[in-house]
Amino acid sequence: MADTAFLTEITLEQLEDDPYPTYARLRREAPVAWIPAAGVWFATRFEECAEIGTGKHGFAGATSHPTLQRVFGAPNVLTSGGEEHADLRRGVDPPLQPGPVHQMIDALVRPVAKHYLAELAGRTEAELMSAYFEPVSVEALRQVMGLEGLVDAATLRRWFADLNLGVSNFGLDPESFAVADRASAEIESVVRPHLEHLRRHPDHSMLSHMIWTGREDGEPRSLELILPSLKVILLGGMQEPGHAAGSTLHGLFSRPDQLALTYADPEAYIPLAVHEGLRWIAPIGAVERQASADVTIAGVQIPAGDIVMTILGSANRDETRFDDPDVFDLDRSSRTHQAFGNGEHFCAGHFFARQVQRIMFEELLAALPGLRADPRQPERVTGWVFRAPKSLPVQWDPPGERPVVSLRTPVVEAGHSDTRLMQVRALRLEAEDVVSVELVDPDGAELPPWEPGAHLDLWVVADHAGHYSLCSDPADRTSWRIAVLREPDSRGVSTFVHEQLRPGMHVQVGGPRNTFPLAAAAEHRFVAGGIGITPLLPMMRQLHRQGTPFRLDYCGRRRTGMAFLEELATYGDRVHVHVGDEGSRADLEQLATQALGAGATMHACGPERMVSALEQHAESTGLPLVVERFAAGEAHREDDGPFQVTLSRTGLTLDVPADRTILDVLEEKGLPIPNVCREGNCGTCETRVLGGAVDHRDVLLTPRQRRANERMMICVSRAASSEPLVLDL
């Protein structure tokens, strides 16, 4: 039996300074233990933290917690349970879901980040916690909550510090509670009048959501019900984005090689860095639960009513789950961590927090080249309930010219072997935010033949290709042409093409592949929306050469954004242009009816709304219709097909349809798998692969890990071939 006498020697000061040696010993010798200095139980291993956090063994919200109820009041989203907790979450969760966050996050955070970085212009050193990470995080919180005009950022930061002092006060120091009480009273005096106004005049702010959303009876929540949870959000809302970002940069400084990778390919590596930073130093390092009955866990009996702290900062460094857990490593094999908690109390703002960090790092690395720790001033990291750098002094290089990309080697090596090396011969601005790229063989060799409708895979970032339709003449074997629309929400390909690609550069190109072939018909009708014109250009060129009748209806919002209008003018009255802001809109139902009457086959390419409308008309009338859609998300692509997965532990083989994910099918079969984001960006559903090739569509695995084919995110990734996948499930 392990000697547990050391438990009485653990002090709050030790934990505050550096808890990790203590956590490691606790995991080895006393994974569930009473800590006298804190007056609560600690659970320090990954397994027990997950079980307790998800409510196993009857654990629930810690209504008797020594500091939380004292500082925040009750009920609050951290300690409540059942319908009371569910009602509070119905007011908090909706504006923090991926959809609403995606719609507002860039416009909200990026200008703030640019503002604070502009204040560093002309300098080559700063303390980044106070100069950047904290103020950007606080301002993002201030705006999303709807607190503009009520409180400034400096006051929010002071409230955070004062509430933090009380919540972390396990020594029960009266003066620390007094500081927190003063902050709590000030918060209520400032916010209460505005909340009263929102009860009468709702708006779109998060404060208004907390009062009104999910109230089926139409009655707003009382202020006494929401004020405790508002204080929780004010505390945690800065801890996770701003302080977690500081910890992530602290970790990158410990790995200069991985910091260099992140600078070289921010689109690929910033999400990895954010995820690993949350694991390496969990910003909220301990979460409380309360035993609802006497329970034995890890061989230790815990009496009913006792508080157990699930030490997330320790669980995330459990050596049975993570190789070299104390090392910051973007390339680690296991990614599922508990930084956002577990179960019904899983952090509502997890997606918002990660997106704030992502934008902060995108702007930071673009603005400050050669970022590094200041060797004259050590970084200072403290805390165990909340842990983060208290100061992060850094240096960087004066801004210089963008490094010149070598023209003798490809921009990046392709992620697949079926590619060819090609040279950029010309770039041309075809319309607003549309650039055409002309590609040739570097040695002047003849290019392979292709048919109208074919596309290429363009490799200009490290871990994924952009897919672009060929829009040149199929009869020309000397060059290929594609057109690239600048997409602000892309994963880097279109941005690279518009900002960095230059004539003379070499790129790896896959294909051509054709999933949108020109159907044989006596007459053709084409409908294009925006950049959807590109695959139709070669079709019309071929039909014109053959003398086959056709008509094109080309739709766009603005004429300045419609590419290839001059080229299309050569076809005369066979081309009809519909420009939204000029009052000319295509009647899709009429176009479908006319095509059917002419006995024509219709091809359409464009946005989802347009294509879906034409499909409905075609289904109801029998019109022959061939379509190509813009990609709506990484989980599903137009050329997806069905495949099979075999679960190795049971031998069960399941069919995964083209329009479903592996996660969907497992859930439908009553086989729930832990998951959170369903977008391939959190790592919760990571699953070991035992056989078959994976088409990776997540944003977490590095190129090396993808090539290794040892794990996948089953919420988005699929089989890459007809061979079934074998999963360790």
Side-chain angles (χ1 to χ4, degrees):
M1 183 175 179
D3 182 5
T4 58
F6 77 96
L7 299 175
T8 62
E9 300 171 359
I10 296 173
T11 67
L12 296 179
E13 290 75 18
Q14 288 175 342
L15 296 175
E16 192 72 14
D17 180 55
D18 182 6
Y20 296 115
T22 300
Y23 290 165
R25 186 172 182 184
L26 286 169
R27 290 193 300 269
R28 291 192 307 269
E29 302 178 24
V32 176
W34 177 262
I35 307 299
V40 294
W41 296 86
F42 276 19
T44 51
R45 291 192 306 207
F46 192 98
E47 180 179 358
E48 284 82 17
C49 286
E51 290 180 353
I52 294 169
T54 54
K56 195 173 181 179
H57 311 296
F59 283 95
T63 56
S64 299
H65 191 275
T67 69
L68 293 182
Q69 306 291 77
R70 173 70 176 74
V71 172
F72 296 134
N76 64 70
V77 291
L78 289 183
T79 61
S80 60
E83 177 54 32
E84 186 176 59
H85 176 264
D87 180 47
L88 289 171
R89 287 294 291 257
R90 283 193 290 268
V92 171
D93 289 359
L96 298 176
Q97 295 301 300
V101 171
H102 273 311
Q103 291 177 13
M104 58 85 170
I105 194 70
D106 200 89
L108 187 152
V109 179
R110 203 172 296 279
V112 177
K114 289 179 179 293
H115 166 77
Y116 283 101
L117 288 168
E119 294 189 349
L120 301 179
R123 299 170 57 181
T124 57
E125 60 183 45
E127 194 285 293
L128 279 192
M129 294 305 296
S130 60
Y132 183 64
F133 287 132
E134 287 184 355
V136 173
S137 181
V138 168
E139 186 59 29
L141 176 68
R142 191 169 77 105
Q143 292 189 31
V144 78
M145 292 293 292
L147 293 170
E148 310 101 305
L150 294 179
V151 59
D152 58 24
T155 301
L156 272 181
R157 292 171 73 183
R158 176 171 55 79
W159 285 352
F160 165 83
D162 292 350
L163 292 175
N164 186 12
L165 188 65
V167 169
S168 305
N169 185 24
F170 280 82
L172 306 181
D173 171 48
E175 181 53 35
S176 296
F177 279 139
V179 171
D181 289 344
R182 286 193 291 271
S184 182
E186 184 182 357
I187 291 169
E188 293 199 15
S189 68
V190 170
V191 176
R192 185 179 286 272
H194 185 61
L195 294 177
E196 292 285 6
H197 173 78
L198 292 175
R199 282 171 59 86
R200 299 187 300 273
H201 307 286
D203 60 22
H204 296 293
S205 69
M206 188 166 173
L207 289 178
S208 186
H209 277 284
M210 292 179 70
I211 295 171
W212 287 100
T213 301
R215 299 294 275 184
E216 297 180 359
D217 58 5
E219 288 296 317
R221 294 177 181 87
S222 69
L223 302 193
E224 285 66 32
L225 182 64
I226 68 170
L227 277 169
S229 294
L230 171 60
K231 297 169 193 173
V232 171
I233 295 169
L234 291 177
L235 181 61
M238 189 174 86
Q239 190 71 33
E240 284 175 344
H243 288 184
S247 296
T248 296
L249 186 59
H250 176 53
L252 285 168
F253 285 161
S254 73
R255 296 295 304 272
D257 57 328
Q258 298 191 349
L259 177 58
L261 285 174
T262 309
Y263 263 112
D265 192 353
E267 294 283 345
Y269 286 97
I270 285 175
L272 297 175
V274 168
H275 195 80
E276 173 65 358
L278 287 163
R279 182 208 66 84
W280 190 57
I281 297 180
I284 298 177
V287 174
E288 58 293 323
R289 290 294 179 267
Q290 188 166 335
S292 58
D294 292 351
V295 61
T296 299
I297 184 167
V300 176
Q301 186 172 11
I302 299 174
D306 274 14
I307 302 296
V308 178
M309 300 296 292
T310 56
I311 308 298
L312 306 182
S314 175
N316 287 349
R317 296 202 183 193
D318 188 334
E319 44 282 302
T320 66
R321 298 283 303 198
F322 304 99
D323 297 330
D324 296 322
D326 294 330
V327 175
F328 182 95
D329 184 9
L330 302 186
D331 200 34
R332 66 176 50 262
S333 59
S334 179
R335 297 190 179 279
T336 302
H337 60 63
Q338 298 183 38
F340 292 111
N342 293 287
E344 66 176 357
H345 292 88
F346 189 90
C347 176
H350 69 95
F351 189 80
F352 176 80
R354 290 201 305 270
Q355 299 312 307
V356 173
Q357 286 193 71
R358 172 182 62 80
I359 293 172
M360 285 197 290
F361 274 106
E362 287 173 354
E363 295 299 327
L364 179 73
L365 298 186
L368 306 184
L371 198 61
R372 57 196 178 273
D374 187 338
R376 303 166 303 175
Q377 306 176 66
E379 301 151 272
R380 188 166 60 90
V381 183
T382 63
W384 67 278
V385 177
F386 301 112
R387 187 166 182 84
K390 297 302 180 285
S391 64
L392 194 59
V394 302
Q395 298 175 331
W396 61 90
D397 299 329
E401 295 296 322
R402 178 175 289 161
V404 177
V405 179
S406 170
L407 301 184
R408 296 188 295 273
T409 58
V411 173
V412 298
E413 295 294 339
H416 299 283
S417 59
D418 61 337
T419 61
R420 67 179 57 247
L421 185 67
M422 300 196 72
Q423 187 175 31
V424 178
R425 182 162 71 183
L427 293 162
R428 179 182 175 186
L429 185 64
E430 303 289 353
E432 187 177 283
D433 287 333
V434 178
V435 168
S436 67
V437 182
E438 186 179 355
L439 300 165
V440 296
D441 184 275
D443 300 320
E446 191 173 72
L447 298 175
W450 57 280
E451 296 292 328
H455 72 268
L456 299 179
D457 305 327
L458 181 66
W459 289 89
V460 294
V461 298
D463 65 343
H464 62 278
H467 309 287
Y468 300 103
S469 297
L470 279 162
C471 57
S472 47
D473 187 348
D476 181 2
R477 302 282 296 277
T478 65
S479 68
W480 289 340
R481 182 183 67 173
I482 60 174
V484 180
L485 171 69
R486 181 193 289 270
E487 298 177 279
D489 295 328
S490 79
R491 293 173 58 200
V493 177
S494 73
T495 300
F496 186 96
V497 169
H498 279 258
E499 296 184 1
Q500 299 187 47
L501 196 65
R502 297 292 181 267
M505 288 185 179
H506 287 60
V507 292
Q508 292 283 1
V509 174
R513 280 182 284 276
N514 202 336
T515 58
F516 185 46
L518 177 63
E523 185 171 340
H524 290 80
R525 299 294 171 93
F526 300 106
V527 180
I531 197 65
I533 188 63
T534 53
L536 306 182
L537 293 174
M539 296 181 182
M540 290 184 288
R541 189 174 287 110
Q542 181 166 301
L543 295 176
H544 176 69
R545 191 177 289 125
Q546 295 171 349
T548 303
F550 70 87
R551 168 185 168 129
L552 167 69
D553 285 89
Y554 182 17
C555 310
R557 295 180 181 176
R558 302 179 308 280
R559 189 175 293 271
T560 55
M562 301 176 72
F564 304 111
L565 287 174
E566 290 184 12
E567 187 173 315
L568 291 168
T570 61
Y571 296 122
D573 60 5
R574 287 178 288 183
V575 173
H576 302 263
V577 178
H578 307 271
V579 186
D581 67 2
E582 296 177 6
S584 172
R585 296 184 181 276
D587 185 330
L588 298 179
E589 183 175 2
Q590 184 181 57
L591 293 179
T593 301
Q594 291 173 346
L596 183 66
T601 292
M602 178 175 280
H603 289 71
C605 181
E608 178 63 30
R609 181 180 298 180
M610 183 195 86
V611 173
S612 294
L614 288 171
E615 285 181 323
Q616 291 176 7
H617 297 319
E619 185 174 353
S620 63
T621 62
L623 170 69
L625 175 66
V626 184
V627 303
E628 183 167 70
R629 285 178 165 84
F630 296 156
E634 286 299 305
H636 300 292
R637 296 174 182 161
E638 184 63 23
D639 57 352
D640 282 346
F643 61 97
Q644 291 186 322
V645 293
T646 297
L647 312 185
S648 66
R649 301 182 194 177
T650 64
L652 182 65
T653 297
L654 301 174
D655 294 313
V656 182
D659 63 344
R660 310 296 286 164
T661 66
I662 298 173
L663 182 60
D664 292 334
V665 171
L666 291 174
E667 289 179 335
E668 290 164 5
K669 295 294 183 181
L671 302 169
I673 299 296
N675 69 90
V676 174
C677 70
R678 304 184 84 96
E679 295 186 349
N681 64 19
C682 78
T684 306
C685 69
E686 180 181 299
T687 302
R688 189 169 167 230
V689 178
L690 303 179
V694 179
D695 176 10
H696 291 287
R697 302 184 181 184
D698 64 278
V699 297
L700 288 177
L701 297 180
T702 63
R704 184 192 311 167
Q705 291 171 332
R706 293 183 177 205
R707 290 191 294 270
N709 203 69
E710 294 174 346
R711 64 189 65 87
M712 68 184 295
M713 308 302 163
I714 60 174
C715 65
V716 291
S717 299
R718 306 177 68 81
S721 68
S722 59
E723 179 186 359
L725 290 174
V726 182
L727 304 181
D728 186 18
L729 292 172

